[in-house]
Amino acid sequence: STISQAISNFHDVGKSADIEKQNYFIFGKDKKYEIDIASDLESRQDAFQLMYTLYRSPEMEYALEDPTQMWYSKFNASAHTNIIVVRDFQTRKIVATLTIVIDSELGLPLEENYPGQIREFRSKKRLCAEIISWCFDENVNHSNEILVELFKYSYLVSKVVYNVTDFFIMIKPRHALFYVRKLLFVPIGNEVNCIKINNKPVMLYH
């Protein structure tokens, strides 16, 4: 596939023909983790449940109680959305996840809080994508390394497969320094209270 071919040039996953055929790459000390796209229902449900568990925690309190015990939105039903997961290579357990929403007729989640922010980009025929719903298992190690690899993979999929030109993300202001220094985001919106995460403050970054 297009993703498989790109990964073989993007990340050192070894010379094994079996590995190169896969849509994932392996990273971390002792090759502990793998990144992949959640392409089956079970993987998606596991990712939604991980997000719900973390977002319901006292430290975050993003999610309201839901009988499904899953965190999702209308964008997850779109063909323009990709759910990326990090698994423990040995146990196969999902330990982190991140979702990329490609701009389409459905729009982007950020428009609920920043309805006019990407109008200029669209007018210039730029293709935008928003990164949403990322989280880690609270027991996972190397969280910063995992986050960086998640963003690398997100860029790879978005750029190579969809020809995305611009990334957006809404983050809590107190987390901004990491995104600015490590991931090169810049703020383009004032602080607002985000309805989706229980009216917690966020800022829009590009």
Side-chain angles (χ1 to χ4, degrees):
S1 70
T2 303
I3 297 176
S4 300
Q5 294 170 16
I7 288 174
S8 66
N9 295 323
F10 177 78
H11 197 279
D12 180 17
V13 295
K15 301 301 181 180
S16 166
D18 292 336
I19 290 179
E20 289 180 354
K21 292 178 182 177
Q22 306 300 320
N23 287 338
Y24 67 79
F25 65 73
I26 304 169
F27 70 96
K29 185 178 180 181
D30 300 323
K31 305 297 184 183
K32 181 173 177 59
Y33 302 111
E34 70 175 41
I35 295 184
D36 196 3
I37 293 177
S39 56
D40 60 86
L41 182 59
E42 182 180 1
S43 295
R44 287 171 176 255
Q45 289 178 334
D46 287 347
F48 296 157
Q49 288 170 352
L50 174 62
M51 286 184 269
Y52 179 80
T53 299
L54 269 293
Y55 289 173
R56 282 283 293 169
S57 68
E59 293 77 16
M60 293 189 177
E61 296 184 332
Y62 291 171
L64 299 176
E65 186 174 0
D66 190 303
T68 68
Q69 296 190 342
M70 293 190 289
W71 175 271
Y72 57 89
S73 73
K74 63 180 181 181
F75 293 95
N76 291 114
S78 171
H80 298 276
T81 297
N82 289 278
I83 302 166
I84 298 175
V85 295
V86 175
R87 292 186 179 90
D88 183 292
F89 192 71
Q90 297 298 323
T91 67
R92 315 303 302 155
K93 179 183 178 182
I94 293 177
V95 298
T97 183
L98 174 155
T99 298
I100 313 167
V101 181
I102 311 297
D103 199 14
S104 66
E105 294 82 1
L106 194 61
L108 292 173
L110 66 87
E111 292 180 89
E112 184 172 5
N113 297 286
Y114 297 95
Q117 297 301 105
I118 64 170
R119 192 174 300 140
E120 181 179 355
F121 293 89
R122 287 180 177 141
S123 70
K124 295 178 179 178
K125 308 301 181 183
R126 311 279 290 183
L127 180 56
C128 303
E130 183 178 355
I131 296 171
I132 64 171
S133 302
W134 69 266
C135 67
F136 304 93
D137 185 305
E138 60 185 1
N139 298 313
V140 72
N141 296 319
H142 317 297
S143 58
N144 282 353
E145 180 185 7
I146 290 174
L147 182 59
V148 170
E149 296 295 341
L150 274 171
F151 273 81
K152 284 182 182 179
Y153 195 90
S154 301
Y155 175 84
L156 173 68
V157 172
S158 301
K159 182 68 175 176
V160 173
V161 179
Y162 296 96
N163 294 316
V164 164
T165 59
D166 297 84
F167 273 124
F168 296 85
I169 188 170
M170 291 187 297
I171 58 175
K172 296 180 73 172
R174 64 188 179 89
H175 295 156
L177 195 59
F178 177 84
Y179 289 85
V180 171
R181 288 184 174 178
K182 294 290 187 181
L183 302 173
L184 307 181
F185 280 92
V186 294
I188 62 167
N190 295 325
E191 183 177 316
V192 300
N193 292 327
C194 180
I195 297 172
K196 175 65 176 175
I197 59 169
N198 202 18
N199 287 315
K200 294 294 190 295
V202 296
M203 285 182 64
L204 182 64
Y205 283 74
H206 170 249

